[in-house]
Amino acid sequence: MEINLKLRPAALDDVGKLFGLIQALAEYEKLAHAVTGSVEALQEHLFGSHPYVEAIIAEYDGETAGFALFFPNYSTFLTQPGIYLEDLFVLPKYRRQGIGKEILGYLAKLTVERGYGRLEWSVLDWNSDAITFYERMGAEVLPDWRICRVTGESLNKLSIFL
């Protein structure tokens, strides 16, 4: 059975679809209330004068099936840049068809082609299906690391701390 899957860098006319996928991801993670951004901000951050992120669109039989959004990071221990995968999402009706595996493979190849030292991401601890999938793909889930985040008013307070 031939899979009609196409992975490609996001284009300017994909921004609306991409934002819709971000909203679908937030709903899946029960975090729809946390989406406070806009299509316009996403467009600026992907394609503006100073792009901050990159995205890949997955199309299955000509339909948008998923995406990955990522940006460069840096490892002081490796003294090499890397790719941080912020989000990988495949719409439920397209799951279990190898799309997530293909997206990770695409990003791994991109990481190697750029001469980067690692590809990394976070996964929610309750998402056992994703954890199992990532481990099958060769990822090491680091149990002793926790994400620290400062946003909103806490970020404002910290910015004037000193």
Side-chain angles (χ1 to χ4, degrees):
M1 179 175 86
E2 184 178 323
I3 295 176
N4 190 6
L5 176 66
K6 180 180 179 182
L7 300 179
R8 60 175 178 77
L12 189 58
D13 62 350
D14 292 318
V15 175
K17 289 184 275 189
L18 183 56
F19 192 75
L21 288 166
I22 290 168
Q23 290 173 313
L25 168 62
E27 287 174 23
Y28 172 75
E29 292 182 345
K30 297 174 182 39
L31 293 170
H33 64 280
V35 179
T36 60
S38 67
V39 172
E40 296 77 20
L42 182 61
Q43 180 174 317
E44 177 63 25
H45 297 148
L46 281 164
F47 300 106
S49 60
H50 183 75
Y52 293 98
V53 296
E54 297 176 65
I56 294 167
I57 300 290
E59 295 173 331
Y60 189 87
D61 286 335
E63 298 293 320
T64 303
F67 80 100
L69 191 134
F70 59 97
F71 50 87
N73 65 2
Y74 192 80
S75 168
T76 54
F77 289 2
L78 297 177
T79 61
Q80 284 187 294
I83 288 179
Y84 185 82
L85 172 59
E86 177 69 17
D87 287 313
L88 185 159
F89 181 70
V90 176
L91 289 167
K93 77 181 209 176
Y94 296 105
R95 291 187 186 149
R96 306 215 184 287
Q97 300 192 45
I99 297 171
K101 180 179 180 180
E102 291 292 325
I103 291 172
L104 280 178
Y106 183 106
L107 290 170
K109 182 178 180 187
L110 189 62
T111 302
V112 170
E113 287 173 351
R114 291 182 181 181
Y116 291 0
R118 69 181 180 195
L119 169 63
E120 64 183 353
W121 62 92
S122 300
V123 62
L124 293 167
D125 62 358
W126 59 260
N127 196 342
S128 57
D129 288 344
I131 291 168
T132 300
F133 167 70
Y134 293 143
E135 288 175 334
R136 275 198 325 262
M137 297 300 100
E140 178 185 2
V141 178
L142 305 172
D144 50 348
W145 287 82
R146 299 292 184 261
I147 297 169
C148 299
R149 180 175 293 157
V150 183
T151 60
E153 186 55 32
S154 295
L155 179 59
N156 290 331
K157 286 180 182 176
L158 182 59
S159 73
I160 59 174
F161 182 68
L162 294 176

